[in-house]
Amino acid sequence: MTRLQRLIRLSAVALTAVALSGCISLFPKSKPANLYRFDYLMPAEAASPPRASGAKFGVLKLSNEFNKAAAGDRIMTVTAGSDVAYIAEARWVSPASVLFDEAVSRAFDQDGRSARLISRGEIGQSDYVLKLDVRDFQVNYAAPKGRPSVVVNVHAVLTRSADRSVAAERTFSQTVAADGDRQADIVRAFTVGVSGVLRDLVEWTSSLGKAAS
C-alpha cells in the first residue's frame, strides 16, 4: 500500500468517526416527555343544555391575551409565590394558549344559551366583542413538597359592536386543589379549573346579552 493510499484510508476512517459522533448527539439519552391536555367538561347536571329563550346573539371573540410564561407547552409551577419552574418530563400536547382557545369554543357550543360565538367571516352578525386575558394559569405549591393547587384567572371584557362601548367586564377565577402531586392529578385539576371558569364566563355573557335585548 502506497503512502497516498494510506492517507486516503485514514481520512475516510476519520470522516466516519465524525459522522457517527454527530449521529449520537442527535439522539440524547433522555426520558421522553409525557403529553397531556386539559379540556372543557360540562357538569353532569347539565348533560342536557338549557334551551335559550328568545333569539340568540352573536359574540365575536378576539385573540386571547395569555400569560407568556404559561402560554407554551410547558406546565408552569410557582412555589412560595415567587419561584417559577416547569414540571419535568411533562408537556401539553399543544401550547396552553391553543388548548384554552379550543376549550372556550367548546364551552359556548355545548352550553346552548343565548350567546353564540361567531367567526371573523360573520363579523357583521356580531352584537358583542369578547376579549379574554388569561392572567394566571399555573400550579401553586405552598411549600416545595406541599399539595399543589391549580390557579386559573381570566379577565373578560365585553364590548358592544354598535358603538364599541364597554358593556361589562369581570374577572373569573378558580383555585382547585389537586388530588395528589402526580402529573395526572395536576392535569385533572387544570380541567376542573378551566371548566369552572368557562362555565361562569358563558353564563355571564349570555345573561348580559339577554338583559340588553
Side-chain angles (χ1 to χ4, degrees):
M1 181 181 297
T2 66
R3 183 178 179 183
L4 179 59
Q5 289 174 324
R6 285 197 300 268
L7 287 174
I8 293 173
R9 183 176 180 181
L10 289 173
S11 298
V13 171
L15 288 173
T16 302
V18 171
L20 287 175
S21 65
C23 290
I24 291 171
S25 67
L26 290 175
F27 299 95
K29 293 182 180 179
S30 60
K31 187 176 180 180
N34 297 315
L35 297 180
Y36 297 99
R37 68 177 300 134
F38 59 85
D39 206 345
Y40 170 76
L41 293 181
M42 184 181 294
E45 61 271 19
S48 298
R51 292 186 177 182
S53 56
K56 286 181 176 285
F57 58 91
V59 178
L60 174 66
K61 189 182 77 62
L62 301 180
S63 299
N64 302 326
E65 296 289 335
F66 210 102
N67 182 308
K68 290 183 179 179
D73 65 350
R74 296 183 296 174
I75 304 175
M76 189 175 82
T77 70
V78 178
T79 304
S82 59
D83 296 334
V84 177
Y86 296 94
I87 297 178
E89 300 168 359
R91 295 285 190 275
W92 298 121
V93 69
S94 297
S97 57
V98 173
L99 292 177
F100 185 84
D101 195 54
E102 293 173 351
V104 172
S105 296
R106 193 168 293 109
F108 275 92
D109 288 345
Q110 294 182 6
D111 183 79
R113 298 178 192 268
S114 301
R116 180 179 71 89
L117 287 189
I118 64 173
S119 66
R120 289 187 177 275
E122 303 173 288
I123 192 170
Q125 302 177 32
S126 68
D127 299 288
Y128 293 92
V129 175
L130 178 64
K131 180 68 174 179
L132 301 180
D133 181 6
V134 183
R135 296 176 174 176
D136 296 299
F137 197 81
Q138 64 201 38
V139 185
N140 278 5
Y141 285 87
K145 294 185 179 180
R147 186 181 179 186
S149 294
V150 165
V151 177
V152 181
N153 183 24
V154 180
H155 185 72
V157 178
L158 196 66
T159 305
R160 299 178 183 88
S161 297
D163 57 8
R164 298 184 180 180
S165 62
V166 174
E169 59 181 304
R170 178 177 164 185
T171 298
F172 300 88
S173 298
Q174 288 276 324
T175 299
V176 181
D179 293 334
D181 198 17
R182 297 180 305 170
Q183 294 176 4
D185 296 328
I186 291 171
V187 171
R188 278 195 293 271
F190 267 108
T191 291
V192 173
V194 168
S195 298
V197 163
L198 296 185
R199 189 162 53 248
D200 292 343
L201 169 68
V202 173
E203 183 176 353
W204 172 77
T205 305
S206 292
S207 63
L208 285 173
K210 183 178 179 181
S213 62

